[in-house]
Amino acid sequence: MRISVHFPVRSSVVLVALAALLAVPSLFAQDLKPIQLPKPQTSGGKPLLTALDERKTARTFENKPLPPQVLSNLLWAAFGVNRQPDVKPGYGRTAPSARNSQDVQLYVLFADGVYIYDAVANVLKPVVAGDARAKVGTPAQASAPVTIAYVSDVKNDKYSSVDTGFIGQNVFLFAASEGLGAWFHAIHGDDASRALNLTADQHLLYAQAVGYPGPNAYVVPPPPTAPPTAPPAAK
Ligand SMILES: Cc1cc2nc3c(=O)[nH]c(=O)nc-3n(C[C@H](O)[C@H](O)[C@H](O)COP(=O)(O)O)c2cc1C
């Protein structure tokens, strides 16, 4: 005997939508928990001149996450707190900022979601669940386990690009010191700001992929060849 169950059309649509929601990874930030980073190690590493000598752009990455301590050290080196409030209000940071605005925010992108680095609490605060790396960079850049996206207030555009450059170089030097690869890059993708839940007042400036360098990490690929131009149409 065949038993058939009939749902009204509207109920079946709701059921399909529910099933789809359960099947995809959750997109809600409340599903992510804040990540308390271990206390950063603020000494050690290679001598500065050796790190400068080894700084370069990596273009392939191993599929291997960064250990929590390395991640904490990386973010601290990038734009962490390196001194208590002194002559200036606010905490001192490892990179300078115009008018000490400390305006650039580090959005940290992993496979599971996007977080904001809170340098004072040394915590990664969840922003949005899901993998946004490929919305910010090319597939090669998105293959790194971590992408740091640099976000500023649109009103501070003139200075925040410069501030980001200092932070990016800190990341490069830490990566060189630690045997990691880093790739500073422009934003590739129209949906990038939306993928990070940015508001109209926020500007996504650049991003930097970081991970263990993969095979041929330092071989610069040839520029893409231009598509052949069509011969002029006969008159
Ligand atoms: C502001 C800025 C934007 C960049 N954007 C890109 C990019 O969109 N894509 C890319 O492959 N590399 C990008 N780069 C990396 C440069 O191509 C790279 O630094 C340069 O080729 C020199 O290589 P090196 O870093 O190994 O010395 C960017 C670098 C800077 C400073």
Side-chain angles (χ1 to χ4, degrees):
M1 189 174 66
R2 235 177 78 199
I3 301 173
S4 54
V5 181
H6 294 283
F7 289 107
V9 174
R10 208 176 296 160
S11 315
S12 351
V13 169
V14 171
L15 280 177
V16 169
L18 270 176
L21 263 179
L22 291 173
V24 294
S26 173
L27 298 174
F28 302 108
Q30 60 262 34
D31 292 339
L32 296 176
K33 300 217 167 6
I35 301 172
Q36 178 68 60
L37 296 165
K39 193 172 183 290
Q41 295 162 325
T42 60
S43 61
K46 290 182 184 168
L48 174 63
L49 296 184
T50 308
L52 281 166
D53 192 44
E54 294 178 6
R55 187 221 66 86
K56 57 193 165 187
T57 299
R59 289 185 170 80
T60 64
F61 299 93
E62 267 185 51
N63 181 15
K64 177 176 150 191
L66 301 188
Q69 186 66 61
V70 174
L71 180 66
S72 176
N73 296 354
L74 164 71
L75 294 169
W76 177 81
F79 201 31
V81 168
N82 69 355
R83 57 205 188 277
Q84 298 299 312
D86 48 18
V87 285
K88 296 260 188 175
Y91 292 90
R93 309 288 287 265
T94 57
S97 62
R99 295 176 298 188
N100 198 22
S101 69
Q102 304 186 9
D103 169 56
V104 176
Q105 283 187 299
L106 275 56
Y107 279 59
V108 185
L109 282 55
F110 306 108
D112 77 326
V114 178
Y115 299 77
I116 291 179
Y117 174 52
D118 178 337
V120 175
N122 201 33
V123 165
L124 291 173
K125 295 179 168 170
V127 176
V128 58
D131 192 350
R133 292 172 299 170
K135 297 271 166 83
V136 167
T138 62
Q141 290 154 356
S143 71
V146 181
T147 293
I148 304 172
Y150 299 109
V151 174
S152 79
D153 190 311
V154 282
K155 291 196 285 297
N156 200 21
D157 257 7
K158 181 177 160 203
Y159 294 117
S160 47
S161 290
V162 176
D163 297 352
T164 297
F166 284 109
I167 300 169
Q169 179 71 346
N170 281 355
V171 168
F172 267 126
L173 292 177
F174 176 80
S177 169
E178 203 56 36
L180 297 171
W183 189 350
F184 192 96
H185 62 83
I187 303 304
H188 301 283
D190 300 334
D191 280 347
S193 295
R194 199 160 351 125
L196 304 190
N197 258 2
L198 300 188
T199 65
D201 295 333
Q202 290 179 295
H203 189 184
L204 177 52
L205 296 162
Y206 291 99
Q208 196 163 17
V210 185
Y212 293 96
N216 299 321
Y218 302 110
V219 176
V220 180
T225 46
T229 47
K235 291 196 178 149

